[in-house]
Amino acid sequence: MASSSRNNKKYDVFVSFRGEDTRDNFTSHLYSALSRQNIQTFIDDQLNRGDEISESLVNAIEASAILVIVFSEGYASSKWCLDELVKILKCKKEYAQIVIPVFYRVDPSDARNQTGPFGISFSKLEERFKENSEKLQTWRKALKEAASLSGFHSLNIRRESELINEVVNHILKRLDDVFRPGDNNNQLVGLESTVEKIESLLGVESKDVWALGIWGIGGIGKTTIARATFDKISRYFEGSCFLENVRGEVQRPGGLACLRQKLLSNLLKDKNVILDIGLNFRRLSRMKVLIVFDDVTCFSQLESLIGSLDWLTPVSRIIITTRNKQVLRNLGVGKVYEMGPLEYHHALELFSRHAFKRNHPDVGYEKLSSNVMKYAQGVPLAIKVLGCFLYIREKEVWESAINKLQSILHPSILEVLKISYDGLDDKEKNIFLDVACFFQGEGVNLVMKFFNASGFYPEIGISVLIDKSLIVIDSYSKITMHDLLQKLGREVVRQESINPENRSRLWHHEDTYEVLTHNTGTEKIEGICLDMSKVKDIHLNPSTFTKMRKLRFLKFYSSSFNGENKCKLSYLQDPGFAEVKYFYWHGYPLKSLPSNLNAEKLLFLELPDSDIEQLCDGVKRHGKLNQIIHAACKKLIAKIPSPTLIPHPNKLVALNLRGSKSLKSLPARIFNLEFLIELDLSGCSKLKRLPDISSGNISRLYLSGTAIEELPSSFQLLLRLSWLDLSDCKMLKSLPSSLCKLKSLGVLDLHGCSNLQRLPERLGQLSSPIVLNLVKTNIEKIPESIIQLFVLGCLLLNYCNSTAGIIEDSQRSEHMGHVVAARWKEVREK
């Protein structure tokens, strides 16, 4: 009962203290330190108290897991404090609550025996209650009992800050004991001792930088163990970040930048952190941090994210999960924990919790369960998937399933997982195979539209796959599946035929290369995904796609940073692409799109780094065009908001001309497009000016690296602009005073505008919380209005040892947030 009551507590900690003694010093500091660790703490802020402690106070004591008593010199002079003490000890006895005494400038023996200065305080109370000897005896007994408990003595720890740190760390450890997940935790069956081993290897208490590798095959539980360890110890660190699925994320366009953003944002607790690695690592070098890099496949991924371990403080910790031990060697990780399969009894318990919702098999199912264990081979993911598959099914179904297992030629985990696949209908199988071959980690909304257009009824299909533990929709609304399940799906496709051209999906570069090089494609092929960085040049025959009449998905991409198009082509022959819904071709070699693209069925068109000059007539006139993403297109890029007919380009939502180095000017009415909310002109190095603006709904405008010299005075009409990126605009000399009228502006990035010497005097009149980045500018003076901007969230300034600070504490508004970090405070001043 005690354990159950603890886990239902409203508060983590209740603090009993004498307000006159410690309210404004020790207790307030202790409360702040507990709050910083997200420890829910109750302290009584009432200054006026009645004769009896209130019912709410009694309830708070009962609703707290840990009860802290701050014994100060005047504690025993307060009837209120002593009544609290009696109630605290009663709860300790009845509910097994934890009591921690802190002796603040008081000798424990004086508290126990009511002697010394502490005893003098108690004697004053005795005078008032000398007629109530029973009450006095109760208080004496409570003081003796509480002061005899193990606690903290301020006279033994000179610095108050050290005392508070020790108290908080002790409370953290006790809370871990109180709220540690019980034996019914399905995720950690048989792994609790592993978490303890990992924690021991990390040496949390030592003062050397420890990097620990967790190594093993896919599905063996590396991520589960890393997450459990992270959840247990992260509260002991000033900053922490769990970067899940590094391998998958870095393969996406911009994935590495997103991971770096998440890393810095989580560690620094700043959502608007600027991605200046050197600047931020300088900040982090002073912090105690915990980082988990999950599923790392090569050293360069870590090198790009963290560089080396040299910048970390001696008390920081790094955990890396990987299937490649060489990654750990390259980083110099000395401690490696190899994940092995679950022991039989743990594997059976985990299986039983999924198959029977209890810790052991139902009567009559013991042998059947044992047979399943032989095939699962102690791999947690396989065990859980099989358990979910067989849940509440009749014994005859179990026997049939196990007999089927006996007939599988390759009794590996992949084949075991195929049992769940065999239970799907044709539509569900197609969804599963498409995810395994093409859509792992993609946004569920994109995938749903593709499957709808393919006639797969994804609403019910995806729901079934989730129920059968075959896919997961993560917290970022991305559709994912475990590596073993992905391999299962790809193995199913591989077994369709010994010849790649007779399979429904091509995803392996060698198979795709063979089919395209020899022009052996057939109507059986429904999807092709080729990483061109893994093959030599392919000279496509103009008729390559004419035989692929069922082709729904085509993706030629490059996973390398400076990838190039390897699929060479002079022209395309009709017919072809009649059923294509997803068309992605990095470095598309032709000047125009294929005329035979069916605009009625095309949903997604992506042509990064292409030289395309025009869209084909069919696509321009109409079509269910959801996306046109064209990262370095010289002519046009568009993102259409919904799958509706497109009568004209006024429906543009996002225009991306990033990297168009030949672009010198923009159409006069570009800002007037009604639905345009995002305009990216970054890297348009010949663009010197913007057209005048008469209206506009743009919320994000990226002008980084352009030759813009000034913004038009009509810029003030972009009333919905929330993000303005002018970084590295070397020619920019001034900003219009009308900029202060952009009341929605939240981020103004002027980083690297080396010719910019002043800011508008009225810029501080902006009403939105703002991040203002002035790093590497030539700003000579910060306007007073900005210094007094009470909604300012973050101000980044030049760092220069030879200059004097112009923003003093007296100049700061009391409402300002992260005004200027100390190391950013100094700026240029004439």
Side-chain angles (χ1 to χ4, degrees):
M1 184 181 78
S3 176
S4 175
S5 65
R6 283 183 185 180
N7 287 316
N8 292 322
K9 295 303 184 184
K10 180 178 180 181
Y11 302 105
D12 296 324
V13 174
F14 176 95
V15 181
S16 175
F17 64 98
R18 173 65 167 156
E20 294 179 8
D21 292 353
T22 66
R23 180 188 303 278
D24 297 327
N25 43 66
F26 178 81
T27 298
S28 67
H29 298 322
L30 176 61
Y31 178 77
S32 295
L34 292 169
S35 298
R36 283 194 296 272
Q37 294 294 334
N38 296 316
I39 298 173
Q40 190 71 21
T41 305
F42 180 94
I43 63 170
D44 181 19
D45 289 324
Q46 294 183 20
L47 298 177
N48 299 317
R49 297 176 169 180
D51 293 333
E52 303 294 333
I53 59 175
S54 66
E55 182 179 352
S56 62
L57 204 62
V58 172
N59 292 336
I61 294 173
E62 293 178 349
S64 300
I66 296 177
L67 308 170
V68 176
I69 308 164
V70 181
F71 283 120
S72 58
E73 188 174 302
Y75 186 91
S77 66
S78 168
K79 171 187 178 299
W80 188 288
C81 289
L82 294 179
D83 284 344
E84 276 184 7
L85 181 64
V86 172
K87 177 62 180 178
I88 285 171
L89 294 175
K90 183 179 179 182
C91 287
K92 176 180 180 293
K93 182 177 180 180
E94 294 183 1
Y95 306 119
Q97 285 167 270
I98 298 170
V99 178
I100 301 173
V102 177
F103 300 95
Y104 184 69
R105 299 178 181 176
V106 168
D107 192 296
S109 63
D110 284 345
R112 272 195 302 273
N113 304 309
Q114 297 89 60
T115 56
F118 190 89
I120 295 174
S121 295
F122 184 71
S123 64
K124 296 177 182 178
L125 197 65
E126 283 184 309
E127 283 295 317
R128 291 168 50 200
F129 290 90
K130 57 186 177 183
E131 302 298 329
N132 193 341
S133 59
E134 183 178 349
K135 174 74 89 172
L136 290 172
Q137 186 58 32
T138 300
W139 288 338
R140 289 193 188 96
K141 182 179 178 182
L143 285 169
K144 185 168 185 176
E145 179 181 349
S148 299
L149 297 173
S150 176
F152 295 88
H153 188 188
S154 68
L155 298 182
N156 293 336
I157 305 173
R158 289 189 176 183
R159 294 182 178 177
E160 191 170 297
S161 60
E162 293 179 6
L163 171 63
I164 289 174
N165 284 338
E166 289 202 17
V167 173
V168 171
N169 287 335
H170 181 71
I171 289 173
L172 286 169
K173 291 178 181 178
R174 300 306 300 268
L175 285 173
D176 282 340
D177 295 335
V178 172
F179 296 110
R180 182 173 294 158
D183 293 336
N184 62 344
N185 189 313
N186 285 345
Q187 300 298 320
L188 291 178
V189 174
L191 299 178
E192 297 90 343
S193 61
T194 303
V195 174
E196 294 177 0
K197 291 178 183 176
I198 296 295
E199 190 176 0
S200 175
L201 288 171
L202 281 172
V204 176
E205 299 298 330
S206 69
K207 293 187 177 181
D208 295 320
V209 178
W210 284 87
L212 173 68
I214 302 178
W215 174 57
I217 66 169
I220 202 67
K222 302 183 298 296
T223 301
T224 300
I225 285 297
R227 171 62 73 178
T229 305
F230 178 85
D231 290 342
K232 183 178 180 182
I233 68 175
S234 59
R235 61 171 62 194
Y236 298 112
F237 296 81
E238 296 173 275
S240 60
C241 181
F242 192 105
L243 285 184
E244 194 166 1
N245 189 22
V246 171
R247 170 189 54 82
E249 292 301 319
V250 298
Q251 291 178 352
R252 307 181 191 288
L256 188 61
C258 290
L259 284 175
R260 191 181 292 120
Q261 175 78 34
K262 180 179 178 180
L263 176 65
L264 296 175
S265 297
N266 286 11
L267 293 179
L268 297 172
K269 298 181 175 64
D270 182 0
K271 293 182 179 179
N272 295 315
V273 66
I274 304 299
L275 289 183
D276 187 319
I277 299 301
L279 179 63
N280 286 301
F281 279 174
R282 179 181 175 86
R283 295 174 62 187
L284 292 170
S285 66
R286 300 181 178 92
M287 295 176 60
K288 178 182 179 181
V289 300
L290 170 66
I291 309 173
V292 176
F293 296 102
D294 172 57
D295 196 10
V296 178
T297 56
C298 63
F299 172 68
S300 62
Q301 295 167 355
L302 289 176
E303 191 175 38
S304 299
L305 288 169
I306 197 174
S308 69
L309 302 182
D310 296 340
W311 61 268
L312 291 170
T313 59
V315 289
S316 293
R317 297 292 180 269
I318 303 291
I319 300 175
I320 302 163
T321 74
T322 184
R323 284 168 279 174
N324 184 358
K325 201 171 185 178
Q326 187 63 36
V327 172
L328 304 176
R329 295 192 188 101
N330 290 341
L331 195 64
V333 177
K335 297 283 185 178
V336 178
Y337 184 86
E338 181 178 358
M339 290 290 297
L342 290 174
E343 295 181 8
Y344 180 85
H345 65 285
H346 285 141
L348 183 60
E349 180 181 349
L350 179 62
F351 174 75
S352 298
R353 292 188 180 185
H354 286 83
F356 307 104
K357 305 305 178 186
R358 60 177 69 186
N359 291 345
H360 53 81
D362 287 351
V363 175
Y365 283 83
E366 296 89 349
K367 187 173 182 181
L368 292 171
S369 298
S370 178
N371 288 337
V372 174
M373 292 301 95
K374 293 177 183 178
Y375 288 94
Q377 301 177 19
V379 177
L381 180 70
I383 292 168
K384 289 186 282 188
V385 170
L386 286 171
C388 293
F389 173 76
L390 295 170
Y391 174 57
I392 65 171
R393 296 187 185 274
E394 297 79 6
K395 187 178 294 186
E396 293 77 16
V397 177
W398 278 61
E399 291 172 347
S400 176
I402 292 174
N403 287 334
K404 186 174 182 179
L405 283 173
Q406 297 291 344
S407 66
I408 294 176
L409 295 176
H410 192 288
S412 65
I413 297 172
L414 291 177
E415 295 298 334
V416 171
L417 296 177
K418 193 173 184 293
I419 297 173
S420 294
Y421 171 81
D422 287 342
L424 304 175
D425 65 27
D426 289 343
K427 303 296 185 184
E428 293 160 359
K429 286 180 178 178
N430 272 310
I431 292 175
F432 178 77
L433 296 179
D434 274 354
V435 172
C437 295
F438 307 135
F439 291 117
Q440 168 78 301
E442 294 291 347
V444 67
N445 292 332
L446 178 152
V447 175
M448 292 280 281
K449 290 177 181 178
F450 181 82
F451 289 151
N452 257 322
S454 299
F456 293 163
Y457 305 100
E459 289 79 7
I460 181 62
I462 286 179
S463 176
V464 169
L465 294 179
I466 292 174
D467 288 345
K468 294 193 173 185
S469 299
L470 291 174
I471 64 172
V472 173
I473 307 299
D474 66 16
S475 58
Y476 298 99
S477 297
K478 293 182 178 180
I479 188 167
T480 64
M481 61 170 53
H482 193 275
D483 287 351
L484 289 176
L485 292 168
Q486 184 178 40
K487 291 177 181 177
L488 163 67
R490 293 181 171 185
E491 177 64 16
V492 169
V493 174
R494 191 191 66 80
Q495 291 180 5
E496 292 175 351
S497 174
I498 191 173
N499 300 312
E501 62 268 21
N502 290 322
R503 298 173 191 161
S504 61
R505 296 158 179 87
L506 299 176
W507 72 91
H508 194 280
H509 63 279
E510 292 180 357
D511 293 337
T512 306
Y513 182 84
E514 177 184 334
V515 171
L516 295 179
T517 300
H518 297 100
N519 192 21
T520 57
T522 69
E523 64 177 8
K524 292 184 179 296
I525 297 175
E526 299 179 30
I528 300 175
C529 185
L530 172 64
D531 183 353
M532 294 185 292
S533 66
K534 296 181 178 180
V535 298
K536 297 181 292 185
D537 285 355
I538 304 175
H539 293 278
L540 298 177
N541 189 296
S543 64
T544 295
F545 301 102
T546 58
K547 300 176 185 178
M548 305 180 194
R549 295 184 178 89
K550 295 182 181 178
L551 191 68
R552 299 178 290 116
F553 180 98
L554 178 67
K555 185 173 183 177
F556 293 160
Y557 74 102
S558 177
S559 61
S560 63
F561 182 73
N562 293 314
E564 60 177 309
N565 173 47
K566 299 289 186 68
C567 295
K568 310 300 182 180
L569 184 69
S570 57
Y571 71 96
L572 281 170
Q573 180 178 319
D574 290 343
F577 306 119
E579 297 296 323
V580 170
K581 298 156 183 65
Y582 189 112
F583 190 97
Y584 182 113
W585 195 324
H586 180 96
Y588 178 71
L590 303 183
K591 299 295 184 181
S592 63
L593 289 176
S595 59
N596 47 20
L597 269 176
N598 189 336
E600 284 298 318
K601 296 187 177 181
L602 185 64
L603 292 179
F604 306 97
L605 180 58
E606 306 190 30
L607 304 169
D609 290 324
S610 302
D611 284 331
I612 188 169
E613 295 182 353
Q614 65 179 10
L615 298 176
C616 67
D617 292 340
V619 176
K620 274 204 299 187
R621 285 199 302 266
H622 61 287
K624 299 175 181 178
L625 197 57
N626 279 341
Q627 269 187 330
I628 298 175
I629 302 175
H630 185 199
C633 177
K634 294 178 180 176
K635 297 297 180 184
L636 180 63
I637 167 181
K639 181 176 180 181
I640 308 306
S642 60
T644 57
L645 296 180
I646 308 302
H648 46 69
N650 286 336
K651 299 292 186 180
L652 291 179
V653 170
L655 181 60
N656 184 350
L657 300 174
R658 176 183 290 269
S660 298
K661 298 186 182 302
S662 299
L663 183 69
K664 296 181 179 180
S665 63
L666 295 172
R669 56 191 297 270
I670 189 67
F671 286 100
N672 303 337
L673 295 177
E674 180 180 357
F675 297 104
L676 188 63
I677 61 173
E678 184 169 320
L679 178 57
D680 192 345
L681 302 169
S682 301
C684 298
S685 54
K686 293 185 179 179
L687 183 64
K688 295 184 178 181
R689 64 181 184 86
L690 299 177
D692 286 334
I693 301 165
S694 59
S695 65
N697 292 317
I698 291 178
S699 64
R700 288 180 173 244
L701 178 57
Y702 302 93
L703 299 171
S704 175
T706 62
I708 294 290
E709 297 179 358
E710 62 180 4
L711 299 176
S713 58
S714 56
F715 206 78
Q716 62 183 334
L717 297 177
L718 296 178
L719 298 178
R720 297 187 180 181
L721 189 66
S722 63
W723 192 299
L724 178 56
D725 183 1
L726 291 165
S727 59
D728 293 317
C729 290
K730 306 296 185 183
M731 306 301 292
L732 184 66
K733 297 179 180 179
S734 64
L735 296 173
S737 59
S738 59
L739 204 63
C740 65
K741 296 183 179 180
L742 302 180
K743 302 302 183 183
S744 298
L745 190 61
V747 174
L748 176 56
D749 191 350
L750 299 171
H751 176 277
C753 295
S754 53
N755 266 332
L756 187 63
Q757 297 182 358
R758 64 181 182 83
L759 296 174
E761 287 295 330
R762 295 189 296 163
L763 190 60
Q765 296 178 8
L766 291 167
S767 59
S768 173
I770 188 171
V771 173
L772 179 58
N773 186 357
L774 303 179
V775 174
K776 294 185 179 179
T777 64
N778 205 28
I779 299 294
E780 298 178 342
K781 188 175 182 181
I782 306 298
E784 185 69 22
S785 64
I786 293 179
I787 297 173
Q788 297 302 324
L789 181 59
F790 87 96
V791 292
L792 186 62
C794 183
L795 174 61
L796 305 186
L797 301 175
N798 283 349
Y799 179 74
C800 179
N801 290 328
S802 63
T803 57
I806 65 167
I807 300 181
E808 304 299 337
D809 291 339
S810 61
Q811 292 178 285
R812 303 181 186 184
S813 166
E814 61 181 349
H815 301 289
M816 292 173 78
H818 308 293
V819 182
V820 184
R823 57 187 172 281
W824 297 331
K825 183 178 177 181
E826 296 179 353
V827 296
R828 289 175 55 89
E829 183 183 23
K830 277 189 173 181

